[in-house]
Amino acid sequence: MKPIEYADAAPEVKAVYDDIKEKRGVPDVNNFWKFIAQHPPTLARTWDSIKDVMAPGALDPLVKELLYVAVSVTNNCGYCVASHTAAARRAGMTDEMFGELIAVVGMANETNRLAVGYRVPVDRAFE
Amino acid sequence: MKPIEYADAAPEVKAVYDDIKEKRGVPDVNNFWKFIAQHPPTLARTWDSIKDVMAPGALDPLVKELLYVAVSVTNNCGYCVASHTAAARRAGMTDEMFGELIAVVGMANETNRLAVGYRVPVDRAFE
Amino acid sequence: MKPIEYADAAPEVKAVYDDIKEKRGVPDVNNFWKFIAQHPPTLARTWDSIKDVMAPGALDPLVKELLYVAVSVTNNCGYCVASHTAAARRAGMTDEMFGELIAVVGMANETNRLAVGYRVPVDRAFE
Amino acid sequence: MKPIEYADAAPEVKAVYDDIKEKRGVPDVNNFWKFIAQHPPTLARTWDSIKDVMAPGALDPLVKELLYVAVSVTNNCGYCVASHTAAARRAGMTDEMFGELIAVVGMANETNRLAVGYRVPVDRAFE
Amino acid sequence: MKPIEYADAAPEVKAVYDDIKEKRGVPDVNNFWKFIAQHPPTLARTWDSIKDVMAPGALDPLVKELLYVAVSVTNNCGYCVASHTAAARRAGMTDEMFGELIAVVGMANETNRLAVGYRVPVDRAFE
Amino acid sequence: MKPIEYADAAPEVKAVYDDIKEKRGVPDVNNFWKFIAQHPPTLARTWDSIKDVMAPGALDPLVKELLYVAVSVTNNCGYCVASHTAAARRAGMTDEMFGELIAVVGMANETNRLAVGYRVPVDRAFE
C-alpha cells in the first residue's frame, strides 16, 4: 500500500486534506491521512469524527491529547504513540507532564492486572 | 481467594490499611486492597507507588484519574473501570467530562487500528 | 449456547471426554470442554494440542501452568484465570508462589508500557 | 534467533516445508515457518492445525483470511498484518474489500470500548 | 450509570432511537444505545458511523458481522460478543459457521504470538 | 526523546545506574533505563520495584524471567520480548525451554479466545 499524495488525490480526498491543513495550520497532512485515503469514505468519516471528538469541550484539548497517548501506549501502537506525543507537545505537554503521564499509564496497566489476577469483585459502592 | 478484612490482618497489612484510610479519608479500604493483601509485599509496594504516581504534580489529580479510566477501559478491566470512574467523579469529573472521555477513548482505539491495518510508517517529523 | 453434557454427546465427543477424564483423573470435564464441544473438530484438535504442549518436557508442568495464568491475566480472561489458577494449585502452586506470580505479571505489564511510551529502541546486544 | 533454511533443516522439518510448498503451490515457505521451525513440534502442530482450520468449510477461504487480518490488526501484530493481508489478496480480496474490512475493524474496536466504558449490561435477549 | 429509556429521552435521543428501530425493524433499542445515550453526541455519531460501515458493500452484511465478532472476542468484550453473535445469527450465521469462526479466531491469536515470540521479520514479498 | 547516557546524567540518575550495574554485573545499563531516566522518579521507583519483584523467592529467577517473556509476547512489546528473552537465556533458559515457553504462550492465547467466544461460565469448583 502507498500513501495518496495531494497531487494524486481525487477531489473528495483533496477536500478533506484541505480542511485538515486549514484547521490545523499545517502545510501537509500526516501519513495517517495519506494511507487511510485509500478508502475515501473512511478518510472523510474519520476526519469528521476526530474534529467532533477532539474539539474543546468539558475537557480541554491538551487533556484529550494526553488521553489519546494513554490509549495508544496501552495498545502498543507505535505510529500512534509517536504522532500523538507530538500532538500533545504542540498542545502544551511539557517533559514533566509526559513523565507523569507515562508513569500513570504504567501503574494503571500494572494494577489492572492485579485486579484481574486476584479476581477482585466490584465493591457495592461502585455498582 | 478471600479478602483480608482489617480485623484479621497482620500488623504490616493493618499499617497499610491505616495509611490508605487516613490519606483518602475513608472508613474502610476497597476490595482491591483487601485482595492484594494476600501478598503483603505487593500491597505495600503498590500503595507506595500509587501514592507517588497519583500525587498532584505537573498533572492534576483529576487528569490522572481520567488517564486511569482511559487505560482501564482499553484493557477492559471491569473492576478498574468501576473503581476509577468513581474516583474520577470524586475528583471532580462531571457527566459531560465522562462523555467526552469515553468518546476520546473510543476514537483512539479506532484510529489505532486504522494505523495498524494500513501499516502507516512514522512520519519523519515524529521521529 | 449450552454445554454438551456427556449423556447427550455424540460418540466422537464422548471419546474426547473419556480421554480427558482418564488423563486427568477427574469424574467430569470442565465447562470449557463442554462448550467448545459444540464444534467437535475444535474440541478434538484443542485437546490434542493441550496434551502435547502441557506435557512435561524441558519445562515442568507447574511452570507451564504458571505461564498459562500469566497469559490469562494479561488477556483479562476471567474463566481462564479461574480455571488455570485452580490447575496451577493442583500442580503445586503455593499461596506465596501465586503472590509472586501476580507481582511479576503486574510489573511486566507496567514496564511493557514504559518501553512503549518512551519508544525505547532495541539495544544492539539484543538483536 | 535465525530462520531454518530448507537446506539446513532436519528431515522432520523438511517434510513439513515440503507439504506447505505443495499445498500452497509456492517455491519456498515464509519466514513464519522458518522461525518456528526452531521448535519442530510447534512447526508440525501449527501446520496441521492451520490446514484444518483454514480449509474450505461453512466459511469460504477468503472470509477466513479476512477474519485472520481482523484479529491480527486488533492484536497489532505487524508481521501477521503484512502476511495475512497478502494471503487475503491472493484469496480474492479487492482494494474495496480491504477498505471495508479495516473500517469494520476500527468501528468494532471503538464500540467495544464504548460498551466497556459505559459498563453496558447484557440484554436479556442475548443471554 | 443508568440506561436512558425512550420515554425519558430528549428529542435528539428519541430521533436516533426511532431511526435505529426503523432501520433494524426492532421494537426497542439494545442496552448499548441506551447507555451511550448518556452522551447524545456519541450516540448520534456512533449510529451514523455504524450505518455507514455496516451497510452492504464489497463485503456482505454477514461477513461484516463475523468480523465484528472476531474483534470482540479478541478484545474480550463480553457485551460485544453476546450482542454481535446474536446479530450474526440474524444475518445468517449457522452453528457450523460459528464453530469455524471461533476456530479461526483462536488460531489467529495463537499464531500472532508465535510470530511475536520468535520475532519473525517481514518477508520481502510482503513489504 | 533521547537516552540519558551516564556521563550526562544527574546525580540521582547516576546513583540508580550504578546500582543496576553493580547488582547485575554489567558495564552499562540497557536502553530501557536510559530512556525512562528522562523522568527520574519513574527510574528510581521502577528499579526498586524490579529488584523486589524479581528477587529469588518462592519462584526462582528463571521462572520469573519466563513469566516476563510470556507477558511481553502477549502484549506484543518488541523491546520487551528482545530484552527479556536475553535475560531468560542468561538465567539458564535453553532453546528447548524457549520452544516450549512460546508453545504454551501460543496455546494460552488460543484457548483464552475459545473461552471468550463460547462465553464459558466459570465452573462452580473454580469459584
Side-chain angles (χ1 to χ4, degrees):
Chain A
M1 284 172 284
K2 288 197 297 196
I4 311 286
E5 298 295 342
Y6 188 87
D8 310 318
E12 67 195 298
V13 168
K14 269 193 172 124
V16 176
Y17 285 10
D18 284 334
D19 193 42
I20 296 173
K21 293 195 285 185
E22 185 201 318
K23 293 288 188 305
R24 297 196 162 168
V26 290
D28 195 8
V29 303
N30 295 337
N31 281 342
F32 177 75
W33 305 107
K34 292 180 186 175
F35 275 76
I36 69 170
Q38 294 172 57
H39 192 241
T42 296
L43 174 68
R45 185 174 48 77
T46 304
W47 172 238
D48 280 348
S49 292
I50 284 283
K51 273 192 294 187
D52 275 9
V53 168
M54 299 304 278
L59 300 177
D60 68 55
L62 172 57
V63 170
K64 290 186 173 182
E65 283 296 348
L66 297 176
L67 293 169
Y68 230 105
V69 174
V71 170
S72 300
V73 169
T74 301
N75 281 334
N76 186 18
C77 176
Y79 180 83
C80 315
V81 172
S83 63
H84 286 283
T85 298
R89 288 194 184 280
R90 279 195 307 274
M93 181 178 74
T94 63
D95 284 354
E96 187 64 20
M97 286 175 182
F98 179 74
E100 294 187 14
L101 162 64
I102 301 301
V104 173
V105 170
M107 273 309 293
N109 275 286
E110 179 177 28
T111 59
N112 278 201
R113 269 60 184 210
L114 295 181
V116 170
Y118 282 100
R119 304 171 62 201
V120 184
V122 175
D123 301 73
R124 181 159 306 185
F126 301 150
E127 295 282 18
Chain B
M1 283 171 285
K2 289 197 297 196
I4 311 286
E5 297 295 341
Y6 188 87
D8 309 318
E12 67 196 299
V13 168
K14 270 195 173 121
V16 176
Y17 285 9
D18 284 335
D19 193 42
I20 296 173
K21 292 195 287 186
E22 185 201 319
K23 294 288 188 305
R24 296 197 163 169
V26 290
D28 195 9
V29 303
N30 295 338
N31 281 343
F32 177 75
W33 305 107
K34 292 181 185 175
F35 276 77
I36 69 171
Q38 295 173 55
H39 193 241
T42 296
L43 174 69
R45 185 174 48 78
T46 302
W47 172 238
D48 280 348
S49 293
I50 283 283
K51 273 193 295 188
D52 276 8
V53 168
M54 299 303 279
L59 299 177
D60 69 56
L62 172 57
V63 171
K64 290 185 174 183
E65 284 296 346
L66 297 176
L67 292 169
Y68 231 105
V69 174
V71 171
S72 300
V73 169
T74 301
N75 281 333
N76 186 16
C77 176
Y79 181 82
C80 316
V81 172
S83 63
H84 287 282
T85 298
R89 287 193 184 280
R90 279 194 306 274
M93 181 178 74
T94 62
D95 284 354
E96 187 62 21
M97 286 176 181
F98 179 73
E100 293 187 14
L101 162 63
I102 300 301
V104 173
V105 170
M107 274 307 294
N109 275 286
E110 180 177 29
T111 60
N112 277 202
R113 268 59 185 209
L114 295 181
V116 169
Y118 282 101
R119 305 172 61 203
V120 184
V122 175
D123 300 73
R124 182 159 305 187
F126 301 150
E127 294 283 17
Chain C
M1 284 173 282
K2 289 198 297 196
I4 311 285
E5 299 295 340
Y6 189 88
D8 309 318
E12 67 196 296
V13 168
K14 270 194 172 123
V16 176
Y17 285 9
D18 284 336
D19 193 41
I20 296 173
K21 293 196 285 186
E22 185 201 318
K23 293 288 188 303
R24 298 196 161 168
V26 289
D28 194 9
V29 302
N30 295 338
N31 280 343
F32 176 75
W33 305 107
K34 292 180 185 175
F35 276 76
I36 69 170
Q38 294 172 55
H39 193 242
T42 296
L43 174 69
R45 185 174 49 77
T46 303
W47 172 239
D48 280 348
S49 293
I50 283 282
K51 273 193 294 188
D52 275 9
V53 168
M54 300 303 279
L59 300 177
D60 68 56
L62 173 57
V63 170
K64 291 185 173 183
E65 284 296 346
L66 297 176
L67 293 168
Y68 230 105
V69 174
V71 170
S72 301
V73 170
T74 301
N75 281 333
N76 186 18
C77 176
Y79 181 83
C80 316
V81 171
S83 63
H84 286 283
T85 298
R89 287 193 184 281
R90 278 195 307 273
M93 182 178 73
T94 63
D95 284 353
E96 187 62 21
M97 285 176 182
F98 179 73
E100 294 187 14
L101 162 63
I102 300 301
V104 173
V105 170
M107 273 308 292
N109 275 286
E110 179 177 28
T111 59
N112 276 202
R113 267 62 183 209
L114 296 181
V116 169
Y118 282 101
R119 304 172 60 201
V120 185
V122 176
D123 301 74
R124 182 159 305 185
F126 301 150
E127 295 283 17
Chain D
M1 282 172 284
K2 290 197 295 195
I4 311 285
E5 298 294 342
Y6 188 87
D8 309 317
E12 67 197 296
V13 168
K14 269 194 173 122
V16 175
Y17 285 9
D18 283 335
D19 193 41
I20 296 173
K21 292 196 285 185
E22 185 201 319
K23 293 289 188 304
R24 295 196 163 169
V26 289
D28 195 8
V29 303
N30 295 339
N31 281 343
F32 177 76
W33 305 106
K34 292 181 185 174
F35 276 76
I36 69 170
Q38 295 173 54
H39 193 241
T42 296
L43 174 69
R45 185 173 48 78
T46 303
W47 173 238
D48 280 349
S49 293
I50 283 283
K51 273 192 295 188
D52 275 9
V53 167
M54 300 303 279
L59 299 177
D60 68 56
L62 172 57
V63 170
K64 290 185 173 183
E65 284 295 346
L66 297 176
L67 293 169
Y68 230 106
V69 174
V71 170
S72 301
V73 169
T74 301
N75 281 333
N76 187 17
C77 176
Y79 181 82
C80 316
V81 172
S83 63
H84 286 283
T85 298
R89 287 193 185 280
R90 280 195 306 274
M93 181 178 72
T94 63
D95 285 353
E96 187 63 20
M97 286 175 181
F98 179 74
E100 294 188 12
L101 162 64
I102 300 302
V104 172
V105 169
M107 273 309 292
N109 274 285
E110 179 176 28
T111 59
N112 276 201
R113 270 60 183 209
L114 295 181
V116 169
Y118 283 101
R119 304 172 61 201
V120 184
V122 175
D123 300 74
R124 181 159 305 186
F126 300 151
E127 295 283 19
Chain E
M1 284 172 285
K2 289 196 296 196
I4 312 285
E5 298 295 340
Y6 188 87
D8 310 317
E12 67 195 296
V13 168
K14 270 194 172 123
V16 176
Y17 285 10
D18 283 336
D19 194 41
I20 296 173
K21 292 195 287 186
E22 185 200 318
K23 293 289 189 303
R24 296 196 161 168
V26 290
D28 194 9
V29 303
N30 295 339
N31 281 342
F32 176 75
W33 305 105
K34 292 180 185 174
F35 275 76
I36 69 171
Q38 296 174 54
H39 193 240
T42 296
L43 173 69
R45 186 174 47 78
T46 304
W47 173 237
D48 280 348
S49 293
I50 283 283
K51 273 192 295 188
D52 275 8
V53 168
M54 300 302 279
L59 299 177
D60 68 56
L62 171 57
V63 171
K64 291 186 173 183
E65 284 295 347
L66 297 176
L67 293 169
Y68 230 105
V69 173
V71 171
S72 301
V73 169
T74 301
N75 281 333
N76 186 19
C77 176
Y79 181 82
C80 316
V81 172
S83 63
H84 287 283
T85 298
R89 287 194 184 280
R90 279 195 306 275
M93 181 178 73
T94 63
D95 284 353
E96 188 62 20
M97 286 176 181
F98 179 74
E100 293 187 14
L101 162 63
I102 300 301
V104 173
V105 169
M107 273 308 293
N109 274 286
E110 180 176 28
T111 59
N112 276 202
R113 269 61 183 210
L114 295 181
V116 170
Y118 282 101
R119 304 172 61 200
V120 184
V122 175
D123 301 74
R124 182 159 305 186
F126 300 151
E127 296 283 16
Chain F
M1 285 172 284
K2 289 198 296 196
I4 312 285
E5 298 295 342
Y6 188 87
D8 309 318
E12 67 197 295
V13 168
K14 269 195 173 122
V16 176
Y17 285 10
D18 284 335
D19 193 42
I20 296 173
K21 292 196 286 186
E22 185 201 318
K23 293 287 188 304
R24 296 196 162 168
V26 289
D28 194 9
V29 303
N30 295 338
N31 280 344
F32 176 75
W33 306 107
K34 292 180 185 174
F35 275 77
I36 68 170
Q38 295 173 54
H39 193 242
T42 296
L43 174 69
R45 184 172 49 77
T46 304
W47 172 238
D48 280 348
S49 293
I50 284 282
K51 272 193 295 189
D52 275 9
V53 168
M54 299 304 280
L59 299 178
D60 68 57
L62 173 56
V63 170
K64 290 184 174 183
E65 284 295 348
L66 297 176
L67 293 169
Y68 230 105
V69 174
V71 170
S72 301
V73 169
T74 301
N75 281 333
N76 187 17
C77 176
Y79 181 82
C80 317
V81 171
S83 64
H84 286 283
T85 298
R89 288 195 183 279
R90 281 196 305 275
M93 182 179 73
T94 63
D95 284 354
E96 187 64 19
M97 285 176 182
F98 179 73
E100 294 187 13
L101 161 64
I102 301 301
V104 173
V105 169
M107 274 307 293
N109 275 287
E110 180 177 28
T111 59
N112 277 202
R113 269 60 185 208
L114 295 180
V116 170
Y118 282 100
R119 304 173 60 204
V120 184
V122 176
D123 300 74
R124 182 160 305 186
F126 301 152
E127 296 283 18

